[in-house]
Structure formats: C-alpha cells, structure tokens
Amino acid sequence: MSTPPPPPPEVPPWPYCAYGADPATDPLGCRGIRVHSHTACFAHLADADRNTYLASLVSGTDVDHRGTPFTAPLLGALLEALRDSANGHPTFGEARFDWATFHGDAWFPSVTFQGEARFDSVTFQSVAWFPSVTFHSEAWFESAIFQGGAGFERVTFHSVAVFELANFHSETWFKSATFQCDAMFRWATFQGDASFDLVTFQDCAWFLSVTFYSEAWFESVAFQSEASFRWATFQGDAQFEATFQNDAGFEQVIFEQPVSLGPLVCAGRVRLSGAVFSGPVNLSFATSRLECRRTRWSSTAELRLRYATVDFAHAVFEYPLTIAAESDLFALPDGRPVAERALANAPHAAVRMVSLRGVDAAHLVLADVDLSECLFAGTVHLDQLRLEGSCSFGEVPPGTHWRRWRPVRFTPRRTLAEEHHWRASQPTAARGWSVAVFGAGHVGPTQLAPVYRALRKSFEDSKNEPGAADFYYGEMEMRRHDRTGTTRAERGLLHGYWALSGYGLRASRALGWLAAAMLVTILLLMGLGLPQDSPKQQATGTVPPGGGRVTFEIEKDDPRAPTRNRFTGARFEKALNVTLNSVVFRSSGQDLTTAGTYIEMTSRFLEPALLALAVLAVRGRIKR
C-alpha cells in the first residue's frame, strides 16, 4: 500500500494584481504578484511600465512572478532582458514562478538559474522546453501541470530537483539530463510516453508512487546512488537499460503491460519485493542481490542473471517462469556489450538462489543456478521443479573429522542448506557444516525428509536416476535421525541399512562388508567348520558258518572337529571353496562339522544379500 501524497500547497497571501480580471473565466481576478511598487503583475503592466521594469533587469537578477499569466512573447521579453552579454544565455538569480500559467509555448533555451528556481503549481498549457538549462540551486516543480509536451534534454541539476505531484499530460523527455543531487518524482503522473534515456542520477532517485500510463523508457541510465520505484505503477510498456551503483528499489511496483527490465547493472540490490507483473516479463540483471519476496508474476517471465544472489521467498507465479544464469556479458540493442565496472570486485558471475520458501514450484525452471544456500522447506510442488544445465547443491564436509574419540568421515553427496544448518546446531556437530544465517529459521529431519523426497522425484521424473540417488540418501538420513516421526524399530533398521550399504547406494561399503564376511567365514571354517580328517568309509562283514552268503554293512564316521594344524594351505583352499559357493547360494558338497554346517548356512544367507546390495548400488549409479 502506497503512502498518501501530501496535500497540494495553498496559494500564499502575496499582493495580487488589481487588473485583468475576467468575470466569465476568472471571477477572483488575476493572481499574479504585483511588480515592485505597481498595482499590476508583469502581464498587466502598462507598456511603458513594463519596458521600464525590463530595462532595470540585468543578468543574474532575482525575479518574482508568482501567479502571473505568461504568453510566449512576454516570456521571450523577460529572457531577453536577462541575457548575459558574455555568453548570450539568459541568467536568473532567484526565480519565482509559483502558480504561474504559461498559455503558449514556454521556451527556456540554455537558461541558467543561479539561485533557487520555483515552478510549484505552475501550469504549462502548451509545450514546456528546458533544453540545456542549468539549475545551480534547488529546482522546484512540485504539483506542476504540463498539459503539452515537456522537454528537459541535457539539463543539469546541481542541487535538489523536485517533481513531486507533477502531472505530465503528454510526452516527456529527460534525455541526457544530469541530476547531481536528489531527484524527487514522488506521486508524479506521466500520462504520455516518458523517456529518461541517457540520464545520470548521481544521488538518490525517488520515483515512489509514480504512475506511468503510457510507455516508459530508462535506456542507458546511470543510477550512481540509491534508486527507488516503490509503489510505482507502469500501465504501459516499460524498458529499463540502466546501471545502478547502489540499490534499485521496485517494491510494490505494478507493471500492467509487457515489461523489459535490462540489461541492468546494479552494484547493490535490486528490490522487486511485492511488485506485480501483469504481462510478459523479460529481466536481464547483473546485480549483487535480487530480492523478489512476495512478487506476483501473472504471465510468462524470463530472468537472465549474472552475479546475483536471488531471494524468491513466497513469490507467486501462475505461468512458466525461468531463472537462468547468463555466462556471457549482456549486449545492448546495437550489439555492444554492457559494461560491468560496478561489479568489478565481485568474485564470479555465478547466480545463487537463497530461498524458495512458500513458492509453488510447479512452473519454475532453474538453469545453471547455484542452490547450495537455497532454503527449500515450505516449497509447494517441489517434485515438479525443473533443473536444467548445471545446478549445483551443497556438499558434505570433506576429509576426516574427530567426534569426541572416534573419527568420522561423511560420504560425498549433495546436500541441502537446511541439513547443514540442522547438523551444525547439534552438540556433537563436526566441523564443516554451515551455520544458519539470521532469518533462515529452524527445520529438522521431520521437515527435511519430504523435501529430499520431492527433489528425488523431480530427478527421477527427468530420467536422471544417478542424480536422484543423493536425494534418496538424504531422505533416508533424515528418517534415520528423525526421533519424532520414525519409530525406534524403524530407526534401528535404517541404521543397519545405512551401515551395510549406505541405503543401497554405496557399493564400496557393501563390497567391504562382503569381503569382511567372507574373511570371517573362511577363518571360522578353517578353525571350526572343516573336519580334522576326511571321513573314511568302513565295511563290516558277517560270515555265517558253512560259507553262506556274505552281507556288508558300511558306516561313515561323523566329521571330527579339528584339534591341530587348523590354518594350513589345504584347509584354506577348502574354506575358500565353501565360502565362494555360499555367496551364490550353492552348496560346496564339502564335508563339514556341525559348527561348519551352521557357518555355511549363515554365510549363504548374509553374503548373497551383501552382494545384491552392492549390485543395487552400482545399478543406481549407471541407470538411465
């Protein structure tokens, strides 16, 4: 909601002109201030008195013609009387034209105002031209009405320029103007096209609550200090190609037609928070920070950025919106590259997203954006987010870290900034996790698990199974550490799943456990499972008296547990044969002791499972 404008200034009680009243159009009479000792204003002086007054003027004289009605010949006579013989330019000291009315064209070519210039509540009924004018002191056009065209080309304002509440009914040009101090256009109205091409604002530029009913051009404009367009309304097309040395504020601005902002270079922040874009949008910004909190995009939009740190929290868009990092310099319409001297100290041109909280990401496309610091918790339809090009995420702390008495090494994977913040807040946190910045809020595993799940689905829907693996790992990590939404039994299973194979994603871990299990199996078989000697068959015969029929009964001794020479080469070969067969669910056929039988049964259950986990992990990394 915009701030209310101040009330229009009241007519000061100066001595009015006693002549020139027209009861039909001006029943109050002429409001022009009396000239010196006369009873009439400059417009209604007798010819002789006017000539005498003009003859008394020299270059640099103060003039006071408040409320005076001017015609083009009358203004020309005044300027001629103030012309400097040295340079041929009319020169005013202090100039007072408050409440004056210019009925014809008002031309002030190459005029110099050495003192304060007051045009408050003035009315220009035709064209008002101020070409190459120089204002050495304050220039006031507050509540001025420009009914014809208004031109301020190549004008130099050495002090404050005030156009608050000014009403421009027709075309307006500020081409190549220079504002060395504050430029105030608050609550101004531009009903015709407005051009600020090649303008330089060396101090603050205030366009708060300005309304542009037609096209507005800000091409090749240099804002060397803060610029604010807060609560402005652009009902026509808007074109911005500018350089901002400080912040650029477009908060609560309303763009009702297609808009193109940029190429725009800003060393500070570009603030678009609360702005409304009703038509298609094309933004090209090279800025250190872009704030789009609660910005509404009601049509398609494309943001091509350089250097920017982007805050998109709670933004609303109903149509496809693309945020892409631009690797090359922006180019002007004539093909020349845009100078980025204002960002010369920036480390690199990468684009970083810091918040998507509260955003409905169903129509959002991110291309080549750094998401390592982005806050995702609270994003709606995150599974429909499209990531193009090289979109990077955060990484776990590298190397080995000591947690109390034991070493800790984190599996390399992509992580979210909120997981960094949560882990850094834990009492036993290892070094390397990023601490939350002020305003980031606090989220835990309960909130982060669905975020990882949604991002995993986004990668899977784009047929990027290897890319989805890290987010599945993150989801399982959050479930394993969630003490409110996950039962103790489930957390125990997840701990085992994590320890054995990294949730089926770390083949090296599963193969390591498989190798360890096989080694233990071999050692157990050599020590307990293989018999001391291979059992031999024995035949027992009974010969009946008289040499009758002979019957042989063959028995096989039970394998005996070894008591000596357990770890020999031959026994190792046999144990290895049994172990390798157990990995693929096969029986070796080797005679075993009772303990060896149970060892083989256990290995035939565990080792194939570990092999399957390793195969699953490899498949997850190569599947397309």
Side-chain angles (χ1 to χ4, degrees):
M1 182 177 180
S2 62
T3 58
E10 297 180 359
V11 180
W14 57 66
Y16 292 165
C17 176
Y19 302 96
D22 185 352
T25 60
D26 191 3
L28 298 179
C30 177
R31 297 186 181 182
I33 191 171
R34 298 177 182 180
V35 176
H36 299 320
S37 59
H38 299 282
T39 59
C41 68
F42 178 57
H44 295 112
L45 282 175
D47 291 342
D49 294 334
R50 183 182 302 116
N51 292 335
T52 301
Y53 167 69
L54 292 174
S56 67
L57 300 179
V58 295
S59 175
T61 303
D62 295 343
V63 297
D64 186 354
H65 294 297
R66 288 173 285 178
T68 301
F70 276 89
T71 60
L74 194 63
L75 176 61
L78 178 62
L79 296 179
E80 187 63 32
L82 295 169
R83 191 175 300 278
D84 190 338
S85 59
N87 56 28
H89 299 160
T91 302
F92 287 85
E94 182 177 339
R96 298 297 302 270
F97 291 94
D98 316 52
W99 292 91
T101 301
F102 293 85
H103 294 280
D105 292 348
W107 286 81
F108 291 84
S110 302
V111 172
T112 299
F113 293 89
Q114 295 180 344
E116 190 177 44
R118 305 292 302 231
F119 288 86
D120 296 340
S121 300
V122 71
T123 299
F124 296 95
Q125 294 184 353
S126 188
V127 177
W129 284 103
F130 292 81
S132 302
V133 171
T134 301
F135 294 91
H136 286 281
S137 188
E138 296 180 359
W140 291 81
F141 289 84
E142 184 175 351
S143 300
I145 298 175
F146 298 85
Q147 295 181 358
F152 291 84
E153 297 186 13
R154 302 180 302 280
V155 174
T156 301
F157 297 90
H158 289 278
S159 187
V160 177
V162 181
F163 289 85
E164 294 181 349
L165 291 167
N167 193 333
F168 298 88
H169 288 264
S170 188
E171 295 180 344
T172 306
W173 296 270
F174 282 86
K175 187 175 182 179
S176 300
T178 300
F179 296 84
Q180 296 184 359
C181 288
D182 289 357
M184 300 183 181
F185 288 86
R186 292 178 290 195
W187 304 289
T189 301
F190 295 86
Q191 299 185 23
D193 294 346
S195 174
F196 288 83
D197 298 350
L198 301 170
V199 173
T200 300
F201 296 91
Q202 296 182 4
D203 210 327
C204 298
W206 303 100
F207 287 84
L208 280 71
S209 300
V210 171
T211 302
F212 295 91
Y213 288 97
S214 189
E215 296 183 1
W217 294 290
F218 289 80
E219 298 184 5
S220 300
V221 178
F223 294 90
Q224 298 180 4
S225 186
E226 184 176 357
S228 178
F229 289 79
R230 192 171 188 177
W231 298 305
T233 300
F234 293 83
Q235 295 189 5
D237 295 349
Q239 174 71 42
F240 276 81
E241 295 176 5
T243 300
F244 295 81
Q245 294 288 347
N246 208 320
D247 294 353
F250 294 87
E251 298 99 325
Q252 284 80 41
V253 174
I254 300 175
F255 297 93
E256 297 187 359
Q257 295 296 324
V259 59
S260 176
L261 299 181
L264 185 153
V265 179
C266 179
R269 297 176 297 169
V270 176
R271 302 190 300 268
L272 288 172
S273 298
V276 177
F277 295 91
S278 299
V281 181
N282 191 313
L283 307 182
S284 300
F285 293 163
T287 178
S288 60
R289 186 175 180 87
L290 174 62
E291 296 179 358
C292 296
R293 293 190 292 267
R294 294 181 175 82
T295 305
R296 177 176 291 274
W297 316 78
S298 299
S299 186
T300 57
E302 181 184 26
L303 283 71
R304 306 201 69 82
L305 307 173
R306 289 172 56 81
Y307 300 98
T309 298
V310 186
D311 185 351
F312 236 66
H314 304 286
V316 178
F317 38 91
E318 306 167 13
Y319 292 87
L321 186 147
T322 301
I323 301 176
E326 185 68 34
S327 58
D328 299 327
L329 292 173
F330 294 121
L332 295 172
D334 59 4
R336 292 182 295 111
V338 175
E340 297 179 345
R341 290 185 295 272
L343 295 165
N345 296 327
H348 48 74
V351 176
R352 298 161 296 280
M353 182 71 67
V354 295
S355 181
L356 285 174
R357 285 185 173 177
V359 170
D360 186 342
H363 300 290
L364 181 61
V365 179
L366 302 178
D368 302 317
V369 177
D370 182 356
L371 299 171
S372 60
E373 301 176 9
C374 186
L375 304 178
F376 285 99
T379 306
V380 182
H381 293 146
L382 189 56
D383 58 319
Q384 300 180 39
L385 173 68
R386 287 184 55 191
L387 301 177
E388 304 289 346
S390 176
C391 290
S392 59
F393 288 83
E395 300 287 343
V396 299
T400 302
H401 306 267
W402 288 91
R403 182 180 294 170
R404 295 180 180 175
W405 54 270
R406 60 188 178 91
V408 176
R409 184 179 180 87
F410 298 100
T411 304
R413 62 182 174 92
R414 288 179 286 185
T415 59
L416 300 183
E418 285 121 326
E419 182 181 348
H420 271 260
H421 301 164
W422 170 75
R423 288 187 181 272
S425 66
Q426 302 305 300
T428 59
R431 293 182 180 180
W433 295 106
S434 301
V435 180
V437 296
F438 178 76
H442 175 74
V443 295
T446 304
Q447 295 79 23
L448 289 177
V451 175
Y452 273 112
R453 187 181 307 118
L455 287 172
R456 172 179 62 84
K457 185 176 184 301
S458 174
F459 276 79
E460 291 175 346
D461 290 344
S462 62
K463 306 303 180 183
N464 187 356
E465 294 286 347
D470 284 349
F471 297 99
Y472 174 72
Y473 194 104
E475 176 192 354
M476 301 299 284
E477 278 286 273
M478 294 302 99
R479 290 177 56 194
R480 183 168 70 93
H481 290 285
D482 184 7
R483 295 183 177 275
T484 58
T486 307
T487 63
R488 179 177 296 181
E490 185 178 353
R491 290 202 308 273
L493 289 175
L494 291 174
H495 271 83
Y497 194 19
W498 163 76
L500 290 176
S501 64
Y503 310 112
L505 295 174
R506 301 295 180 257
S508 59
R509 191 177 303 181
L511 291 174
W513 281 109
L514 176 60
M518 293 175 63
L519 178 60
V520 171
T521 302
I522 291 173
L523 293 176
L524 290 175
L525 288 174
M526 292 176 66
L528 302 173
L530 295 177
Q532 180 68 47
D533 299 306
S534 299
K536 299 179 180 179
Q537 294 181 350
Q538 296 181 350
T540 302
T542 302
V543 180
R549 183 179 180 183
V550 179
T551 302
F552 294 93
E553 183 177 337
I554 300 175
E555 295 179 354
K556 186 176 182 181
D557 294 339
D558 293 333
R560 291 176 299 169
T563 58
R564 67 183 190 280
N565 297 327
R566 299 183 181 185
F567 299 97
T568 63
R571 291 177 63 82
F572 173 78
E573 183 179 357
K574 291 181 180 181
L576 179 62
N577 182 41
V578 173
T579 303
L580 291 177
N581 278 279
S582 67
V583 173
V584 292
F585 291 104
R586 291 181 56 189
S587 175
S588 64
Q590 177 68 44
D591 292 325
L592 301 173
T593 64
T594 302
T597 302
Y598 285 104
I599 293 172
E600 183 187 34
M601 292 171 58
T602 304
S603 66
R604 289 177 64 183
F605 172 76
L606 291 179
E607 292 166 5
L610 293 172
L611 179 62
L613 290 175
V615 173
L616 177 64
V618 173
R619 179 179 179 274
R621 288 299 181 182
I622 64 175
K623 181 180 178 182
R624 290 292 179 183

